[in-house]
Amino acid sequence: MLMHRIDEFKNTKLPVVEIFQSISGEGISAGYIVTFVRIGGCNLRCSYCDTVYSHEEASCANLWLTPEEIYERVAALGCRDILCTGGEPLELNKAKRYLPLFLASKGLRVRIETNGSCPVYSDEEIRAFCGALFPELYYVLDVKCPSSGFHKSTIFEENYVSLRKGDEIKFVVGHKDDIEYSFDIIDRYKDIFSSKKVVINFSTVFNKMEPAELVEILKEKQRYFTQNNLKVRLSLQLHKFIWNPELRGV
Ligand code: SF4
C-alpha cells in the first residue's frame, strides 16, 4: 500500500468535483449542516449511481487542488463537520485517499462515505500519516447489494474490525434479493455491529422501491434486531425530497 506522510502530501494536486455546504441527506448526520467535499474517481460503477459525474479522476470538469487549497475553501465555509464523499475517497494507491485524514488532522470532524470496496484506515496508516494524533474520523461504509452489480466487491472482515462507535454502515436496497442479502450480512456480523454500536442504515434505490415497503420489512424484523441489540434505521436521501433529485451541489 502506498503510504503518505502529511508533509509530502501537502503539495499534491487532487481531483475535486465539488465543495459545497448543505444539509447531510443520509445516515445519522441527516439534517445537520455539513460541508461536502466530493473527490473525483471511483473504482465501481453501481447500476443506480446518482453521481456519475464523479466517476473519472481525469474529468476536465474537476478542479485540481492541493490539500491546503481544499482546506482553505472548506475553512472559508465555516463548518466543522465535513462529509468526504465521491466517487470513492479511499481508493488505494491514490494520493486522494489521504485527504479525509488531512482535513481531520486540521481539527475538522470528518465523516467518510466509502463504497466498502477499499480498506478503511488502519491505526498504523493514521500514525504514519499524522504522527500520534488520532483525529475525529467516522465512516459511513456502504455494503453493496446485488442490484448494485458490485456486491462481490465489498470487503467485510477487514473493514468491520476497524469500525468504532459513531460509525455506520449502509445498505441501499432495490428489491427483495437485496433485502435477503442484507439480512444475511447482518446475521453474519451481528456480534461486531452490536458490540461496536454500529448504526445500520437501510435506504431504498430512489424510484425503485417504495420506502413504505421497506418500513414494513424492517418492522417484521424488529424482534430480531432488538434481541441482537442492533441499531437499525431507515435512512432516506433527504435532499432528493427537498430539491429536484437531479440537482447537483445541494
Ligand atoms: S460507489 Fe458510489 S460513486 Fe461509485 S459508482 Fe457506486 S454509487 Fe457511484
Side-chain angles (χ1 to χ4, degrees):
M1 187 190 296
L2 182 68
M3 289 263 207
H4 276 273
R5 290 183 121 24
I6 214 162
D7 294 338
E8 302 157 10
F9 177 69
K10 265 185 198 158
N11 301 315
T12 318
K13 294 269 186 188
L14 304 174
V16 177
V17 178
E18 52 193 358
I19 297 174
F20 62 95
Q21 201 167 75
S22 189
I23 52 149
S24 166
E26 301 177 65
I28 53 180
S29 62
Y32 289 101
I33 294 172
V34 298
T35 296
F36 288 79
V37 178
R38 188 182 305 285
I39 201 87
C42 185
N43 56 326
L44 303 186
R45 293 290 181 269
C46 303
S47 62
Y48 48 71
C49 183
D50 55 4
T51 54
V52 172
Y53 53 86
S54 68
H55 283 179
E56 301 297 338
E57 252 185 65
S59 163
C60 55
N62 291 343
L63 296 168
W64 286 85
L65 301 174
T66 64
E68 281 292 355
E69 288 167 334
I70 295 169
Y71 172 68
E72 279 165 20
R73 290 185 184 217
V74 164
L77 293 171
C79 182
R80 198 175 156 244
D81 286 299
I82 311 299
L83 202 60
C84 278
T85 187
E88 170 51 43
L90 295 184
E91 270 191 273
L92 282 176
N93 301 323
K94 307 258 184 180
K96 67 174 183 178
R97 174 174 172 83
Y98 292 89
L99 179 65
L101 208 44
F102 178 81
L103 294 174
S105 75
K106 294 280 198 183
L108 299 168
R109 191 162 39 220
V110 177
R111 192 165 283 274
I112 306 170
E113 287 189 336
T114 171
N115 66 26
S117 71
C118 305
V120 301
Y121 304 120
S122 64
D123 288 353
E124 181 200 10
E125 198 176 6
I126 294 177
R127 234 177 260 117
F129 184 78
C130 49
L133 180 72
F134 272 78
E136 263 188 288
L137 268 182
Y138 301 96
Y139 297 101
V140 184
L141 195 66
D142 237 321
V143 182
K144 294 294 177 193
C145 291
S147 68
S148 71
F150 285 92
H151 59 295
K152 295 202 172 120
S153 307
T154 305
I155 50 174
F156 298 111
E157 281 85 355
E158 255 176 283
N159 274 338
Y160 293 165
V161 168
S162 307
L163 295 181
R164 299 193 170 89
K165 188 165 183 247
D167 291 334
E168 44 191 322
I169 61 168
K170 180 172 80 171
F171 295 97
V172 179
V173 293
H175 51 58
K176 290 256 161 72
D177 289 352
D178 288 347
I179 303 268
E180 275 170 31
Y181 181 82
S182 316
F183 288 166
D184 280 352
I185 299 293
I186 291 174
D187 197 53
R188 204 173 336 146
Y189 297 103
K190 59 183 183 302
D191 294 342
I192 294 181
F193 297 150
S194 161
S195 63
K196 297 186 173 227
K197 299 187 169 41
V198 172
V199 173
I200 303 168
N201 296 290
F202 272 89
S203 182
T204 54
V205 178
F206 196 68
N207 281 341
K208 193 105 185 263
M209 178 184 258
E210 283 303 320
E213 187 187 348
L214 177 56
V215 170
E216 288 309 313
I217 293 167
L218 294 180
K219 275 163 65 183
E220 281 167 24
K221 202 76 180 172
Q222 181 52 42
R223 195 178 294 273
Y224 167 87
F225 296 146
T226 304
Q227 281 164 353
N228 289 287
N229 200 23
L230 296 169
K231 297 174 171 223
V232 179
R233 64 196 292 278
L234 177 74
S235 170
L236 301 180
Q237 293 177 294
L238 275 185
H239 48 286
K240 291 196 176 163
F241 292 89
I242 300 174
W243 295 285
N244 177 336
E246 306 296 328
L247 212 57
R248 276 179 60 170
V250 291

